[in-house]
Amino acid sequence: MAAVDRSLVANLPMFAGLSPADQDELLHEARSIRYPKGTAVFDQGAEANRFYLLLHGHLRVEKTTPQGQQSVVRYVSGGELFGVAQAMNLTQYPATAVAAVDSIALAWPSSSWHRLIAKYPSLAASALQTVGSRLQDTQARVMELSNEQVEQRVAHTLLRLAKQAGRKVDTGVEIDFPISRQDIAEMTGTTLHTVSRILSAWESEGIVEGGRKRIVLRDAHRLHDLAEGGESIQARKHGL
C-alpha cells in the first residue's frame, strides 16, 4: 500500500497541531481506499470495524427506517471524519454511506480508536466536532420539519448544501456533487412532485438553475429570504 503524502492532510483539523512525526505515525496506521461512484463505504447495521477521513470526493449518507423507507440524511465532503460510531458508543453503523462521486478515504481499524484518541487529542477534538455538527444539523432539520412550510425547508437545505460544498461558477454557486430532486425530497420530508414543482418555479424566476443531478444557486439572497419565510410560490403567482 502506498504511503499517503503528509501534505494532503497536514492542514486538516484532525492533523493540525501534530508534529510531522506524529502525522506520519497516524497516517502509517491508516489504509487509503478508493470508492468508485455508487460504491457503499459501509452499510447501516454492519459492524463498525473502521472509522474514516474523507480525503477526496463526496459521500451520500442514507438511513432506512424499520418500515423500509429510505432517506438521505446528509452529505460528507472532503476533510470530514465519518463513520465514527465509536465516538457515540455504537458498535454498528447507524446509516449507510455511499460514494456520490469517485472518492478516496483513509480508514483506521476501530480497535485502535481509544488508543489513538488518547495519544492524539486532535483526533478526539475532531470527532467531538463532527458529532456536535451532526447533532446540530439533525436538530435544525427537526425544527424545520415541525415549523416550516415545504418551500422554506427546500430553501434551507439548498443553502446548507451550498455552504458545505458550494463551487463558484459563472451563473452563481453550484452544489459540487450530483444531487437529484428525489434526494432533496428525502432530505426535506416531502415528495418528489412537490420538490419538482418548487424547483421548476424557482428556475422560471431565476433563483436556481437545474440540470441532471445538478443545481446552481443563481440568487442566494432571494433563496435566503424564502428560507426565512418570505413570500411563497402561490403568493408570487397571485401578486400578493
Side-chain angles (χ1 to χ4, degrees):
M1 179 182 63
V4 177
D5 188 339
R6 188 197 316 136
S7 66
L8 296 175
V9 302
N11 295 323
L12 297 180
M14 176 175 161
F15 288 86
L18 296 180
S19 68
D22 282 344
Q23 291 175 353
D24 285 341
E25 185 174 347
L26 190 53
L27 286 173
H28 180 72
E29 296 204 34
R31 177 186 176 192
S32 177
I33 308 174
R34 293 180 178 272
Y35 295 97
K37 178 180 177 181
T39 302
V41 181
F42 51 75
D43 292 311
Q44 180 176 334
E47 180 185 356
N49 53 13
R50 292 175 177 171
F51 64 94
Y52 303 82
L53 174 70
L54 188 62
L55 286 182
H56 171 76
H58 297 279
L59 306 179
R60 184 174 65 254
V61 181
E62 305 169 346
K63 194 169 182 66
T64 303
T65 67
Q67 295 74 32
Q69 182 178 356
Q70 179 179 293
S71 63
V72 176
V73 295
R74 66 177 178 271
Y75 283 82
V76 177
S77 296
E80 291 187 52
L81 274 174
F82 68 101
V84 285
Q86 301 77 19
M88 298 178 284
N89 291 320
L90 299 176
T91 59
Q92 298 177 327
Y93 294 116
T96 297
V98 179
V101 296
D102 292 346
S103 302
I104 302 173
L106 291 178
W108 287 264
S110 296
S111 58
S112 63
W113 172 256
H114 293 291
R115 176 176 56 81
L116 291 177
I117 62 171
K119 187 171 184 179
Y120 305 109
S122 61
L123 173 57
S126 292
L128 182 61
Q129 184 177 12
T130 296
V131 173
S133 176
R134 301 286 188 265
L135 180 59
Q136 285 185 325
D137 185 58
T138 299
Q139 290 176 330
R141 292 182 60 194
V142 168
M143 291 296 294
E144 289 167 12
L145 287 168
S146 302
N147 302 307
E148 294 184 355
Q149 300 295 320
V150 176
E151 196 172 8
Q152 288 179 268
R153 301 202 301 264
V154 173
H156 267 131
T157 296
L158 294 184
L159 289 168
R160 270 198 299 270
L161 292 172
K163 181 179 180 180
Q164 176 187 2
R167 180 173 66 94
K168 189 70 176 175
V169 295
D170 291 340
T171 54
V173 178
E174 181 177 17
I175 296 172
D176 194 26
F177 49 76
I179 184 167
S180 69
R181 294 185 173 190
Q182 180 62 44
D183 293 338
I184 296 170
E186 292 175 9
M187 295 182 77
T188 54
T190 189
T191 65
L192 174 59
H193 172 77
T194 299
V195 168
S196 295
R197 175 178 58 82
I198 290 171
L199 292 183
S200 294
W202 288 353
E203 287 178 25
S204 67
E205 296 178 39
I207 299 173
V208 301
E209 176 184 313
R212 177 171 171 77
K213 294 194 173 185
R214 174 180 181 269
I215 297 179
V216 177
L217 279 55
R218 299 189 63 183
D219 192 336
H221 293 294
R222 285 191 68 188
L223 200 61
H224 183 269
D225 288 342
L226 290 167
E228 296 306 310
E231 57 182 354
S232 67
I233 291 173
Q234 291 301 320
R236 296 195 298 277
K237 278 185 176 179
H238 294 91
L240 300 176

